[in-house]
Amino acid sequence: MRAEPQSRAKDDTAPGRLRIVHVMRAPIGGLFRHVVDLAGEQAARGHAVGLIADSSTGGERAEAILRMLEPSLELGVTRLCIRRLPSWSDPIVAFRIASALKRLAPDVVHGHGAKGGLYARLPALLPFFPTLPHPHIRVYTPHGGSLHFDPDALVNRLYLSVERALERVTDFIPFESAYAQKRFARAIGFSHAVARVVPNGLRPEEFAPVTPIADAADFLYVGEWRQFKGVDTLIEALALIRDETGAAPRLALVGSGPDEAALRALAERRGVDDRLSFAPPMPAREALRSGRILVVPSRAESLPYIVLEAIAARTPLIATNVGGIPEIFGDYADRLVESDDPSALARAMIAAGGMDAATRRRASDQLAERVAENFSLTAMEEAVLRGYRDALEAAGCRRAAEAVLPQRA
């Protein structure tokens, strides 16, 4: 899917109307949902919006979502092959994205995730790249990204050095969680970027309860199958439950990722492979019907949508005490489990499975009420737009001052 970019029209001067281009890599997971929600809401408010994303990931589901969104995007959808890890093709892709941005002529270039953030901001560091001829701002939402890297590993030090260079040409950084903002401050630091916490948000209709199907698994995992998501810890916990109770509960895994083969091998070694089912990515509310209790065993997170979505759907939930998850739970954060601890996770799963229906419903309602009050899509979109406005104003003042400084010298 590739829409022909639309250059800035002469009459594109409506008061308050912005031209916004979102740049991301893989159209999967919570990052993709965030971009789709934000772009859709901004377009609905009358802004000219475009999206640039990878063409090699996401599959049919991403294609369907983008086809539904594209008619509302005045600046279209541009898809290129963008690799997750550093590649020889990166300079070529970066140049093509910079050229597309020059044709689209946005007021706001908003990069999402490590690779999207790189491509959105790189033209400001490389003078031989195509650049925008008019004042604009560069925005970066990490979505975890480089913040999940081990800062002591040599290759990750290089990544963080690049992030520090890019931060100096960044005007606004909306963080999904206070945790992400603090982690960024420690690992990368701030120079002049406007930085604010803008939590992910849900639509009102997402708070309708979801009922599990008749043959739903006892436990459910929804998300990427990657090491930092802790799915291996969940499989180990399943084996421990079998050892303690004599029978392993059923576990449904919904998603995709590079660690599928390793997870299948682990389940076979631990003797619980017959208790697992694997299913491809699907809409969250559909996936939540596949299990009775959702488990989020992550080793690292920022502010995961699946936790918000499960709480809104009144799906009982076990989650680890990492990243921004405690910010979602608030006063109920004592319900969270330590990460990377199969024994603690197994105990929590046994306790949740034995909880009576009334207690489970009361706990779910408490969390749903908190999420409804604090994590709305409308609040998220309004906070991002306010940040754009403030950053545009600050950037305009700064650039005007820089223009006269050489004359004073």
Side-chain angles (χ1 to χ4, degrees):
M1 177 186 306
R2 185 170 181 175
E4 184 65 26
Q6 298 182 22
S7 60
R8 178 178 288 267
K10 293 183 179 179
D11 60 351
D12 190 17
T13 57
R17 188 172 191 264
L18 295 175
R19 294 173 68 88
I20 305 164
V21 176
H22 296 277
V23 185
M24 58 179 291
R25 192 190 71 83
I28 58 175
L31 187 156
F32 183 41
R33 178 201 161 139
H34 177 90
V35 174
V36 168
D37 282 354
L38 191 56
E41 288 295 301
Q42 290 170 345
R45 288 194 176 219
H47 300 290
V49 183
L51 192 154
I52 298 175
D54 176 42
S55 60
S56 62
T57 52
E60 294 181 1
R61 182 163 181 260
E63 287 285 347
I65 293 172
L66 291 174
R67 277 196 300 271
M68 291 180 61
L69 179 65
E70 189 171 18
S72 67
L73 301 184
E74 183 177 329
L75 305 184
V77 176
T78 301
R79 301 195 69 181
L80 307 167
C81 184
I82 304 173
R83 300 183 184 276
R84 185 172 74 88
L85 297 176
S87 165
W88 62 267
S89 65
D90 283 350
I92 299 172
V93 175
F95 192 91
R96 292 178 66 188
I97 290 177
S99 298
L101 290 173
K102 185 174 182 178
R103 291 192 299 271
L104 292 167
D107 304 299
V108 179
V109 182
H110 192 157
H112 299 265
K115 213 60 180 286
L118 170 69
Y119 289 138
R121 299 175 290 168
L122 195 59
L125 291 179
L126 302 178
F128 54 86
F129 266 43
T131 56
L132 302 182
H134 63 279
H136 62 284
I137 59 169
R138 291 166 292 272
V139 182
Y140 174 46
T141 302
H143 297 281
S146 300
L147 301 181
H148 291 329
F149 296 157
D150 177 4
D152 296 325
L154 182 59
V155 66
N156 293 341
R157 290 181 188 176
L158 175 61
Y159 291 157
L160 293 177
S161 296
V162 173
E163 286 279 10
R164 292 186 189 100
L166 291 168
E167 190 279 332
R168 292 195 291 271
V169 295
T170 306
D171 299 287
F172 174 38
I173 309 178
F175 293 96
E176 319 91 278
S177 63
Y179 164 82
Q181 185 176 28
K182 291 176 183 176
R183 184 77 183 266
F184 190 97
R186 289 197 305 268
I188 298 164
F190 297 99
S191 57
H192 68 260
V194 175
R196 293 175 186 167
V197 176
V198 181
N200 298 329
L202 302 181
R203 302 176 186 278
E205 59 267 26
E206 293 183 81
F207 287 85
V210 166
T211 302
I213 58 176
D215 62 342
D218 302 291
F219 295 97
L220 169 69
Y221 170 84
V222 180
E224 290 184 90
W225 302 333
R226 295 174 60 188
Q227 196 271 342
F228 80 87
K229 291 294 188 177
V231 189
D232 57 320
T233 304
L234 176 54
I235 293 174
E236 292 284 3
L238 202 68
L240 292 177
I241 294 174
R242 178 208 54 206
D243 295 343
E244 181 169 337
T245 66
R250 292 168 54 219
L251 170 63
L253 301 175
V254 178
S256 63
D259 293 346
E260 178 178 352
L263 295 174
R264 288 182 181 273
L266 174 61
E268 186 173 356
R269 286 198 307 273
R270 300 294 279 127
V272 293
D273 52 305
D274 62 329
R275 308 305 293 164
L276 267 63
S277 64
F278 290 77
M282 62 184 76
R285 290 178 65 82
E286 180 182 343
L288 290 173
R289 300 184 68 235
S290 304
R292 302 188 184 283
I293 300 173
L294 178 73
V295 184
V296 180
S298 299
R299 295 183 172 94
E301 288 288 356
S302 182
L303 197 86
Y305 268 104
I306 190 58
V307 172
L308 296 173
E309 291 163 333
I311 291 172
R314 308 301 200 280
T315 298
L317 172 68
I318 300 169
T320 49
N321 188 15
V322 298
I325 295 179
E327 297 171 43
I328 298 175
F329 276 66
D331 292 341
Y332 307 108
D334 57 353
R335 300 177 185 177
L336 298 172
V337 180
E338 289 305 308
S339 65
D340 210 13
D341 187 338
S343 296
L345 186 58
R347 290 193 296 271
M349 292 167 69
I350 292 172
M355 189 179 297
D356 66 86
T359 301
R360 184 179 295 172
R361 184 167 56 252
R362 183 166 59 253
S364 296
D365 288 343
Q366 289 170 339
L367 284 174
E369 182 177 347
R370 170 173 168 74
V371 167
E373 291 176 354
N374 295 280
F375 301 91
S376 78
L377 175 58
T378 298
M380 180 187 84
E381 191 264 347
E382 289 177 348
V384 169
L385 282 177
R386 281 197 301 272
Y388 288 172
R389 300 291 183 197
D390 293 345
L392 281 164
E393 181 179 351
C397 292
R398 185 173 67 253
R399 292 187 179 110
E402 290 171 349
V404 300
L405 279 174
Q407 298 174 12
R408 291 178 180 175

